[in-house]
Amino acid sequence: MTSPTTAPDDTLRKWTPQWSPEGTDPALPPITLITDPHDQPAHTTTALAAHQPALGRIAVHPTPLATAPAYLAHDLIRALGKHLPPPDTDPPWWTSNADESWRIAVAWTGALGISHYVVCRAHRITSRHLEHLMALRERTRIRLTLIASGPPPAALTDILNAVAHRQLDTLEAAHHHLNTDPDATPPPADLYPWWQSAPFPGPDDEPWYQMPPRPRHPAGQPGDTTTPTRRPSQDSLPPTTALTPADHDVVARRIHTRIAHPIHAAAVAVRALMGYGIDQLPQITVPTTHRPRADLPADLPGWARLLQDAARLHTDLQRFPSPDLPAHLSGDDRALRLSVWEMREVAQATATCHLLAAPARRPHPPTRKRR
């Protein structure tokens, strides 16, 4: 949702997955190329075994023969434990948009503390995918290891000739490199273990939870008269139980696993914790120096704070706020930036996590004055 004070050319300042050798930061960690000219299975097995999300190291096996610009970004998102919407649903717009898919991958990379990507089958990656991957490396400053199980293509050779890199050509050297990562450190104690996944898609017998009652309006919006989102008829509702703090861990795993878009995941978390309607989400505020009182408390659970961090990083990639405007004018006190066409996607994501809105409150009939 664009703020009225946003500059007209702000859309031109979005981060896009574009890269050129001239813009490479020489201080970035050098790329490591592991060559496997005979395509030995042991190399792939060793690379996939290096997948240690708890240490910030992610191994990616790209989808074979997938050449669309967004596909490698989707592979990274899946390697992070996220799932795109189920195949039996209408795909959201961003799944076919390369720029947005890569922004999502960058936002998760930063929020989840990823420090190292290991990409298998790099000799099969298209030149555009390689450039997008280099743009992600430039933005997130990760270590990047590429496994070439065949002759490196010309595009990869050109990139390696333009950036600092090193080459390993034995299985022993590859194993040592992948298991002695200097940047791999245990996560902070208060970081939610996002790699603990939930089944996807949710099984038919999985419990549904009813979210808290919908607040009358976000704080600071006393004139809000928006109507609640539609609710299915009573006959079509699945059996539900009230969501309690004891169920938050289960819900957290569902959200972290089943929702690939960080803003949508943060939106569903807000709904699960506080019961806000989808139409209320764009107005929800976060505490700032200019607005100490806000709709979202500062002490959200760790799993929800992590989602808010990812949403905030994604917003930063979408546009750069003006440093001359205070938060309450620039719109930076908004927790979620949702466009009108994303409301349906948030509703779909909520249902994917088997969460249901509480029944709408019935207005009290006016009291009659006694004569």
Side-chain angles (χ1 to χ4, degrees):
M1 188 172 189
T2 305
S3 167
T5 57
T6 301
D9 63 346
D10 235 13
T11 54
L12 301 177
R13 301 168 67 184
K14 291 181 180 180
W15 179 86
T16 55
Q18 297 177 348
W19 175 84
S20 63
E22 297 79 15
T24 296
D25 185 350
L28 287 172
I31 294 174
T32 299
L33 176 68
I34 297 176
T35 57
D36 172 27
H38 302 294
D39 197 5
Q40 301 178 58
H43 276 81
T44 301
T45 302
T46 300
L48 295 178
H51 183 75
Q52 295 289 335
L55 298 179
R57 186 170 61 235
I58 300 295
V60 185
H61 197 289
T63 302
L65 305 179
T67 58
Y71 265 71
L72 184 59
H74 296 172
D75 289 330
L76 265 62
I77 293 168
R78 292 189 185 99
L80 292 170
K82 314 296 177 185
H83 288 269
L84 275 65
D88 58 344
T89 60
D90 292 333
W93 70 274
W94 62 264
T95 58
S96 59
N97 184 289
D99 287 0
E100 182 67 3
S101 295
W102 282 95
R103 279 191 285 266
I104 289 171
V106 167
W108 284 126
T109 300
L112 301 177
I114 306 306
S115 59
H116 189 176
Y117 276 116
V118 179
V119 183
C120 302
R121 316 297 294 176
H123 63 294
R124 292 290 185 91
I125 297 176
T126 67
S127 58
R128 181 177 293 185
H129 282 165
L130 285 170
E131 291 179 5
H132 290 176
L133 189 61
M134 293 297 292
L136 177 141
R137 168 181 176 261
E138 201 79 28
R139 179 76 187 199
T140 60
R141 310 191 68 81
I142 56 160
R143 297 182 71 206
L144 180 61
T145 296
L146 304 175
I147 317 292
S149 299
L156 177 56
T157 301
D158 290 344
I159 286 176
L160 295 177
N161 288 336
V163 301
H165 71 281
R166 62 173 182 157
Q167 185 169 328
L168 306 177
D169 54 10
T170 67
L171 182 61
E172 292 75 17
H175 185 274
H176 181 267
H177 164 72
L178 293 171
N179 290 278
T180 56
D181 192 339
D183 298 322
T185 56
D190 61 345
L191 180 64
Y192 180 79
W194 51 269
W195 53 88
Q196 295 182 2
S197 62
F200 179 87
D204 293 338
D205 60 349
E206 183 178 78
W208 283 69
Y209 292 108
Q210 187 176 92
M211 296 180 287
R214 169 192 173 101
R216 293 190 180 277
H217 55 71
Q221 303 291 328
D224 185 23
T225 58
T226 51
T227 56
T229 51
R230 287 188 177 182
R231 179 179 170 85
S233 64
Q234 193 65 34
D235 296 337
S236 64
L237 294 179
T240 59
T241 57
L243 179 62
T244 68
D247 305 310
H248 282 180
D249 183 64
V250 173
V251 171
R253 294 188 186 195
R254 293 181 187 179
I255 295 175
H256 274 278
T257 301
R258 298 175 187 174
I259 307 179
H261 199 297
I263 292 185
H264 301 170
V268 175
V270 168
R271 301 195 71 202
L273 290 171
M274 307 188 71
Y276 282 112
I278 294 176
D279 56 302
Q280 295 174 302
L281 294 175
Q283 300 300 324
I284 293 174
T285 57
V286 294
T288 66
T289 55
H290 300 279
R291 188 194 292 271
R293 294 186 61 188
D295 305 307
L296 290 187
D299 57 345
L300 288 172
W303 63 270
R305 290 200 310 273
L306 192 57
L307 297 173
Q308 292 294 321
D309 289 344
R312 184 166 54 252
L313 285 171
H314 183 272
T315 298
D316 291 343
L317 296 170
Q318 286 281 17
R319 60 122 182 91
F320 299 103
S322 171
D324 301 325
L325 290 175
H328 69 289
L329 293 179
S330 65
D332 291 337
D333 61 340
R334 294 290 186 262
L336 302 164
R337 290 189 170 270
L338 289 166
S339 58
V340 173
W341 57 84
E342 289 180 288
M343 301 299 184
R344 180 182 63 86
E345 295 172 13
V346 173
Q348 187 179 86
T350 304
T352 297
C353 294
H354 286 183
L355 296 170
L356 198 64
R361 293 169 174 165
R362 295 183 179 179
H364 296 291
T367 57
R368 295 182 179 179
K369 295 183 179 180
R370 293 184 180 180
R371 295 184 179 178

